[in-house]
Amino acid sequence: MSFDRKIKIAPSILSADFANFGQEIQAIEAQGADWVHVDVMDGHFVPNLTFGPQAVKSFRPHVKTVMDVHLMIAPVDPYIDAYADAGADVLTAHIEAGPHIHRTLQAIRAAGMKAGVALNPGTPAEAIEHLLDLTDLVCVMTVNPGFGGQKFIDMTAKVRRLRTMIGDRPIHIEIDGGVDPSTAPLLSAAGADVLVAGSAVFRGGSVSQPEIYGENIKNIRAAAEGTLT
């Protein structure tokens, strides 16, 4: 995964057809997805249960772009090697998930992955100021994590603060929660460059009608880039 500040759309497969993940992943990539976002939840750190390392490993052969794995679990460290083995390109841990986030980020990088750190809506940007040199991606939650389809919480001031703190470091700012053509321009203008979208990408489409995914991705990207008509 090389660093590039162009807007990237990362559909969350939490909104895909669970019975058809391989074809769903192939469909979104064929229709213009830049990354594939995988939400891992443990029913403990967040009130939902989704995928484990074996599921992520089964997704890997279908992902030709970047597999972006977002761990909403606690603890994180015992599972880092399992997600490296599963083929994650980016592994993101929540700063709120444990007391030793430096160690976590170091371990993610040591396992050969890009290291992400996620911030819940109530956690200030300053919480990661001393982590930036260990970080490849900052994920700003614009909903409280745990479920798809939630109402967007405006975190544009936090995103602007993070972009200033990051300076010229090659760090992505990712947004997760409530991204659609109405929120994308606010987020990109504030400095975000990776937009996770679940229902806004998958709504109305299917593997038999993948062009709807493509239209949804195109509209989010155009809104973020200021070219939506």
Side-chain angles (χ1 to χ4, degrees):
M1 185 189 89
S2 60
F3 182 77
D4 177 356
R5 274 294 311 278
K6 289 180 182 172
I7 294 292
K8 292 171 183 57
I9 309 301
S12 168
I13 61 168
L14 191 61
S15 295
D17 175 1
F18 276 33
N20 213 359
F21 277 124
Q23 284 188 277
E24 289 276 49
I25 289 166
Q26 292 167 26
I28 56 173
E29 288 193 331
Q31 292 295 323
D34 300 289
W35 293 8
V36 174
H37 188 82
V38 182
D39 287 308
V40 173
M41 305 182 192
D42 63 357
H44 164 70
F45 179 67
V46 294
N48 197 5
L49 190 64
T50 60
F51 315 115
Q54 284 304 116
V56 174
K57 192 169 191 174
S58 73
F59 303 153
R60 179 71 260 188
H62 303 283
V63 178
K64 307 305 181 196
T65 56
V66 170
M67 188 159 70
D68 174 33
V69 178
H70 178 189
L71 299 183
M72 288 169 268
I73 69 173
V76 171
D77 293 10
Y79 301 98
I80 290 171
D81 286 343
Y83 285 100
D85 180 63
D89 295 304
V90 185
L91 195 67
T92 296
H94 273 257
I95 192 169
E96 305 88 1
H100 307 299
I101 190 67
H102 282 85
R103 181 184 301 160
T104 300
L105 295 172
Q106 288 168 336
I108 291 170
R109 283 184 163 185
M113 296 172 286
K114 298 291 187 183
V117 59
L119 299 171
N120 282 339
T123 302
E126 287 71 20
I128 64 160
E129 192 162 7
H130 300 293
L131 302 173
L132 292 174
D133 290 331
L134 293 171
T135 301
D136 300 292
L137 176 146
V138 179
C139 176
V140 177
M141 296 302 299
T142 44
V143 296
N144 285 292
F147 296 96
Q150 295 185 68
K151 188 174 181 347
F152 176 77
I153 302 171
D154 188 353
M155 290 284 127
T156 48
K158 184 190 289 189
V159 175
R160 284 194 295 271
R161 175 73 183 121
L162 285 165
R163 184 49 67 197
T164 300
M165 285 165 48
I166 287 167
D168 61 0
R169 296 177 179 92
I171 298 174
H172 294 292
I173 297 180
E174 177 176 80
I175 305 297
D176 190 351
V179 171
D180 62 24
S182 69
T183 56
L186 309 172
L187 299 163
S188 62
D193 60 321
V194 181
L195 303 179
V196 176
S199 53
V201 166
F202 286 95
R203 186 183 294 116
S206 65
V207 294
S208 61
Q209 290 185 295
E211 65 279 359
I212 297 175
Y213 297 161
E215 191 67 21
N216 292 340
I217 290 168
K218 185 176 76 173
N219 287 340
I220 296 167
R221 192 189 311 279
E225 293 175 345
T227 59
L228 185 64
T229 55

